[in-house]
Amino acid sequence: MIKYDRLWITMKDKGISQYKLIKYYGVDKAQLHRLRKNMVVKTIILDRLCGILDCHIEDIMEYVPGEEPGEGKILNRS
């Protein structure tokens, strides 16, 4: 599972609030909601966040194996 817990830490460290992302950088509220819920987001959003926060992708997201059923398992495609 991809988790965005690091995003909120990086935002705090950089002094950028969700309000600033929405008001000054044009980030959509729905995208922030999806990030809060660790849902699927477009890579363009992640790219924009890295640019806004002047950080690397690993500063805003991480892969956590085994968080959901079937994660980390190789599927039999025969």
Side-chain angles (χ1 to χ4, degrees), residues 33-49:
H33 172 77
R34 296 181 72 75
L35 289 160
R36 280 193 300 276
K37 300 291 183 181
N38 295 316
M39 297 170 74
V40 174
V41 294
K42 294 181 179 182
T43 54
I44 194 162
I45 297 301
L46 300 173
D47 182 60
R48 286 188 62 213
L49 288 170

Side-chain angles (χ1 to χ4, degrees), residues 12-77:
K12 184 176 180 182
D13 291 346
K14 302 281 184 166
I16 299 203
S17 65
Q18 291 182 52
Y19 175 80
K20 283 185 181 178
L21 287 178
I22 295 164
K23 181 79 173 174
Y24 300 111
Y25 296 102
V27 176
D28 187 55
K29 288 180 190 179
Q31 292 301 319
L32 288 175
H33 172 77
R34 296 181 72 75
L35 289 160
R36 280 193 300 276
K37 300 291 183 181
N38 295 316
M39 297 170 74
V40 174
V41 294
K42 294 181 179 182
T43 54
I44 194 162
I45 297 301
L46 300 173
D47 182 60
R48 286 188 62 213
L49 288 170
C50 286
I52 293 165
L53 297 169
D54 188 32
C55 68
H56 296 280
I57 193 72
E58 59 269 17
D59 295 326
I60 63 173
M61 63 186 283
E62 69 177 319
Y63 171 70
V64 180
E67 287 281 322
E68 292 183 349
E71 292 260 337
K73 295 180 181 177
I74 297 173
L75 299 176
N76 185 357
R77 298 187 183 232

